[in-house]
Amino acid sequence: MEIGRFLLGLCVFFYFYRSVSAESTCKLKAKFNLSGYKNVEKKKVVIGGMFPVHKRIASSDGNTSRVPVSSGCEGFNFRTFRWTQTMLFAINEINKRNDLLPNTDLGYVIYDSCFTISKAVEGTLTYLSGQDEAVPNYRCGTGAPLAALVGAGGSDLSIATARILGLYHFPQVSYSSSCSALESKFQFPTFLRTIPNDKHQSTAMAQLVLHFGWTWVGTIAADDDYGKYGIKDFKERVEEAGVCISFSETLPKVSSPEDIQRIVQTVVEATAKIIVVFSSDVDLSPLIDELLRHNVTNRTWIASEAWVTSALINQPNVSSVLGGTLGFGVKRANIPGLQHHLLDLDPYDDPLTEEFWESLFHCTLNFSRAVRGIPDELCTGRESLAKLNNTYLDVSQLRITYSVYKAVYAVAHALHNLEHCDAGKGPFNGRKECADISNFEPWQLMYYLKNVHFKVPHTDEEIYFDNGDVEAFYDIINWQIDSNGEISYVTVGRYNASAAPEDRMTIMNDSIVWNNEVLQPPRSVCSENCQPGTRKGIRQGEPVCCFDCIPCADGEISSTTNARECVLCSGDYWSNEAHDACVPKIIEFLAFGEPLGITLIVISAFGALVTIAVGVVFVVNMGTPLVKANDALLSFSLLFSLVVTFLCSIVFLGEPQHWSCMTSQVGLALGFALCLSSLMGKAAVLMLRAQALKAARARNKAAAKAAKAAAEAAANSGNPDVIVTNTIHNTDATPCAKPEIDTLTCAHQRAIAAVATLIQAIACTVWLIILPPHPVKNTSAQNIKIILECDEGSVVFICCIFAYDILLALLAFIFAFIARKLEDHFSEAKCVTFGMLVFFIVWISFVPAYLSTRGKFMVAVQIFAILASSFGLLTCIFLPKCYVLLVKPERNTEEMMRPRAKLGDGISTGTSASLATAATEVNATIASTAIDD
């Protein structure tokens, strides 16, 4: 027993020794200089608060040769001071209620963060320590438990405080930290907020830009998490929709005139008329002042919720720069009794209120300082707040103020639910335990905060947290100039992130007044829209919104605005003149009814009629010597073939059909084959007769010389009565001459024509059976037209067939050319020669003319060639004959059909037109004469 007491005493000794030793080695490294409000005496629970009552910390000289002192703050912010008073008002209102925490009196500890991260951290550590000196990781104060921290103002501040509070699972409810980075429960497990997440605001801004068709915008962001994350989310959304960023600038957190000047220069030089700004009013204020000095107008500003209703930005004369601004404001509400609370201040209650009073009235409450002449005058403390038109007293746009109000009530309702937990039905430790309102852990209150659900007094708005966030609802606010020349905030639309995507944004376009008080939305594009008929051509090295409008090529269209590519029209369609629609191609063929078609029909019919008329003339004069001298059957076959060629040219007209394609080409080939083979037969006869007559003349010369020699011999012999007589007598003329002269008879001529035509007919039949001509749509010759034409089926076949006709024509020309010097009254060989020359000239000219034309004119050229060659043959072959038959009938005699004597050799040659009847006259001339001395 003695040993046990000894050991117990030894343990107590060592415990106290270690405690004293620890105390002797612990040292407070710094003392923070914090201002604010504190009321914890006789309070059951304490709620913390943090507000950026000042705009910045006071600058220090950076001297490290003396003990560092925590910096003070400067730049009193009346707007955020109203937020602070709203928290005090809400706590006082809750303490007076009987239905909410009726048995619990709330206290508060509120610190000024000075809109600076370091001050926010100082306040957080001090709050957690429970005393004025911050001792990290220790709760040194004794008294009411700490409930939650309402704050800490900007997103950067809340991120810093949330990291510290999260270590201790200490709840934090923010009223203005909207940065989307704070939604991560992995990094910030105990962070909640009564202001919507900025990802919804970024989406709403993007939708607003798209709503008005702006594709070229500039962005300006504060150099903090609020600005960076907000602009980043906005850019991602608009760039997905094809909007381009003209410029992207960052506002400095520390005053930098050079950076502000650079940003102003960028805004002035940029072509973008829409500028999206994600910044707090404090950071934006220097830029607005500089824009006013440069008188930068004709811009439309898109404001985030942090400055859209800020009096710090809405200064006198700012309307020329910011008039027409559109922005998003969080929910607005009226809070009964708040204005009375704001007016009911005692400037001597605490240093912060004293500073507020001095800043508001530009005086001092300290008599000793007034004597030294530091301020202008001495305050009485009884100055009237109600007579001032100040941001602090402006309760017309309670938005962030209302968010503060909701944050305090959220903590109060969570405490109420914790306090009124039914015994045995609690949520903790798995044993359904409840927490004690007088001694609870922060994580226990966090459970109730995450699951809180209540209605805000006076507005009945339901508040609950979904993963730490509340529902996103924004008013779309337009800065309009009222009758007094001042900016007024006019709600022109709503954005509800909880609604269906198509119903989220409602905006009244007609209610918006834009910059310079115009009613039409401004245009902000790098390049104007490319109209239908053009496509976008991207400029190298520039954003995709900067492009050139390139007209669509022929055959391509674009039917939409800002088309990226032109669409090629399908086979039977072509682009219209505007290149915005595909229209059916023009169907082209040489129609019967058009002027050219009618002209060709008339000419063809005229040629056929003339040919028939020639045939009629020959029939009428069938018994005359001239007609008899020409083989009538061959002449009529020649006339028939010309009628066929004249009429087949008409078949080339009209829309091509299967029958017309086959008939036109085959009829032309056979018609020319019959015509040319008939001429070839005639020319062959003429050539052979010319050769025969040449030989006959040689024989006659020889006979004449022999006769003369005999006569001379007889005379020399002294017998004057010798008479030499010709034993060959004339015979009647017949169509076919004697065989010793006419090697080819009429039958031979007809056989030549028939066989030559039959060969062509067989070739055409094979052609029609194997690869017949057929109609096709030619879409390649002319882009805008579909040319209906005949496809020959086989190029080889048609080349062979018409090469055969050319061969016949060439043979006829050669034969006629050889027989051209026959002496007669009527030289038919020369007529055939000239006819063939005309034929060749026409078809040689046809080839380049045909190849240089397109469409229906190719058919016209072909028809002209057919008609010209047919008329040439008709004229050269039959015009001289018709001239004799109709105009000079006196020459249509047997005498004129007889041979014409050739001077110089005393013999005659047969005529080319009469050799059929008088070919033997060369042997029937009187070769004998009486020789008598």
Side-chain angles (χ1 to χ4, degrees), residues 130 152 373 864:
F864 273 121

Side-chain angles (χ1 to χ4, degrees), residues 69 162 230:
V69 179

Side-chain angles (χ1 to χ4, degrees), residues 60-83:
S60 61
D61 56 5
N63 191 343
T64 58
S65 62
R66 58 174 179 262
V67 178
V69 179
S70 179
S71 300
C73 300
E74 61 184 12
F76 200 90
N77 192 330
F78 297 109
R79 184 187 184 207
T80 54
F81 186 69
R82 184 181 68 226
W83 300 349

